[in-house]
Amino acid sequence: MSELEARVLPEATLARLTQYLRALNALEAQGLERTSSGVLAKEAGVNPSILRKDLSWLGSYGTRGVGYVVRELAEHISRTLGLNQDWKVAIVGAGNLGRALSGYAGFTSRGFNVKAIFDVDPALIGEPVGELRVESTSDLASVIDREEINIVVLAVPGDAAQDLVYALSELSVRSVLSFAPKPLKVPAGMNLRRVDLSTELQILAYLAVQG
């Protein structure tokens, strides 16, 4: 393992790297082969000094007076984020949110392939969702093994989410994205990210009131 691979990047830097990658892809789509820190920072919505500091974590990829090679920097950020690997995703919860997530085109375009969707409702088992069919949560272990799932998205109520986190840990799933509206206890060795839509809406409501 290299020094860079062993280094743990700050969470804020990781979040901004995804913005830089999106901006680089947009610049490449415009036919640009090179860009400056000023242009890239503007496209990503950050300060140029912050961008340069973030990219310094990755090593020297810019040349003074010349800037960055767009494709080269995009590929390096992709490797740093692990996007050059094969990520196979399962969604637990085949309600409105789970179905919407399963059809999100942005997953596939960024290297995340949704391979399975689950639910506990017998009425939903076997129902088509895009190119998939809803599978029973009781078959979680066999399907995760069959499809070699390495990321699971939880689109289930809060009470069900915690038991699922423990079950997934037993199945050696180490990466979980949760939309459950409550904090969850995370077993050792598991990385869990939580998206709380209601909290974000409440923050927006507060900011709107403040004017």
Side-chain angles (χ1 to χ4, degrees), residues 1-2 23 43 52-53 74 90 111 122 124 126 129 146 179 189 199 203:
M1 178 179 292
S2 69
E43 289 291 321
R52 288 191 292 269
K53 182 177 180 181
L124 295 179
V129 176
R146 183 189 77 208
F179 284 85
T199 294
I203 292 172

Side-chain angles (χ1 to χ4, degrees), residues 170-185:
E170 292 294 321
L171 297 174
S172 298
V173 173
R174 295 291 174 257
S175 299
V176 175
L177 176 64
S178 174
F179 284 85
K182 64 180 293 185
L184 302 171
K185 295 179 181 178

Side-chain angles (χ1 to χ4, degrees), residues 2-165:
S2 69
E3 181 182 349
L4 175 60
E5 290 170 330
R7 190 182 302 168
V8 178
L9 301 182
E11 188 169 322
T13 296
L14 281 172
R16 288 191 293 268
L17 285 178
T18 66
Q19 296 172 237
Y20 304 151
L21 182 58
R22 185 181 300 113
L24 287 163
N25 289 335
L27 291 172
E28 186 177 31
Q30 296 169 27
L32 297 180
E33 295 183 359
R34 291 183 177 273
T35 189
S36 66
S37 59
V39 170
L40 181 54
K42 182 179 179 180
E43 289 291 321
V46 303
N47 185 286
S49 63
I50 291 176
L51 178 140
R52 288 191 292 269
K53 182 177 180 181
D54 288 337
L55 295 184
S56 71
W57 284 89
L58 310 185
S60 179
Y61 271 79
T63 303
R64 185 178 295 276
V66 177
Y68 304 101
V69 178
V70 171
R71 174 75 339 233
E72 181 180 283
L73 181 56
E75 289 175 351
H76 187 59
I77 291 176
S78 291
R79 287 195 301 271
T80 299
L81 295 174
L83 301 182
N84 58 330
Q85 300 182 37
D86 187 14
W87 296 108
K88 297 178 180 179
V89 180
I91 296 172
V92 183
N96 291 335
L97 177 58
R99 288 169 181 262
L101 290 171
S102 71
Y104 176 51
F107 284 156
T108 302
S109 65
R110 290 169 175 80
F112 298 93
N113 297 306
V114 178
K115 306 293 288 185
I117 184 167
F118 298 89
D119 207 278
V120 295
D121 185 350
L124 295 179
I125 308 303
E127 287 292 307
V129 176
E131 296 180 356
L132 303 173
R133 288 193 177 274
V134 179
E135 306 204 50
S136 173
T137 306
S138 63
D139 296 326
L140 201 62
S142 61
V143 177
I144 283 178
D145 181 64
R146 183 189 77 208
E147 300 294 344
E148 300 179 329
I149 301 296
N150 41 32
I151 294 180
V152 173
V153 178
L154 299 181
V156 298
D159 291 341
Q162 186 62 70
D163 287 341
L164 282 165
V165 165

